[in-house]
Amino acid sequence: QAASGAGAPGMNELKDGVAAYAAGKDLTGTNKVFAYPLPFNLIPQIDKFQENGYTKEEMKVTWETRKILDLPDLPVSCTAVRIPTLRAHAEAI
């Protein structure tokens, strides 16, 4: 999921972080929206972790897949990853 999944604040944090990195600045501790600095990183955490070990975003994908396929007991394992792009979402099966 792209920075846009966190709205304008997420996209602004990515843009500002890329500019700072290009200017030679250290990004450590600069993140406010994401769990870690997003520029040039992949973050395998979107939203909060649930009791089952998956994040809320991963559970939403699971629930949506089961609903779309009309298979409420379909075993699904999902990993949601934040990517350093402004707008893009993808799924692979």
Side-chain angles (χ1 to χ4, degrees):
Q1 189 178 62
S4 63
M11 294 192 314
N12 289 335
E13 185 170 300
L14 175 60
K15 287 190 274 187
D16 294 346
V18 169
Y21 185 85
K25 296 181 181 171
D26 182 8
L27 299 182
T28 304
T30 61
N31 52 298
K32 303 291 183 249
V33 177
F34 304 111
Y36 303 94
L38 186 57
F40 311 102
N41 287 312
L42 300 175
I43 303 173
Q45 177 185 353
I46 302 175
D47 214 323
K48 304 291 183 204
F49 281 98
Q50 307 298 295
E51 289 182 13
N52 63 4
Y54 288 98
T55 64
K56 187 174 178 185
E57 183 67 24
E58 292 164 343
M59 290 310 304
K60 286 176 13 184
V61 171
T62 297
W63 299 326
E64 290 171 6
T65 301
R66 289 174 176 167
K67 182 179 178 181
I68 290 167
L69 297 176
D70 194 26
L71 296 170
D73 297 321
L74 180 69
V76 176
S77 181
C78 172
T79 300
V81 178
R82 184 75 67 186
I83 60 172
T85 61
L86 291 175
R87 292 182 185 89
H89 289 59
E91 289 187 29
I93 298 176

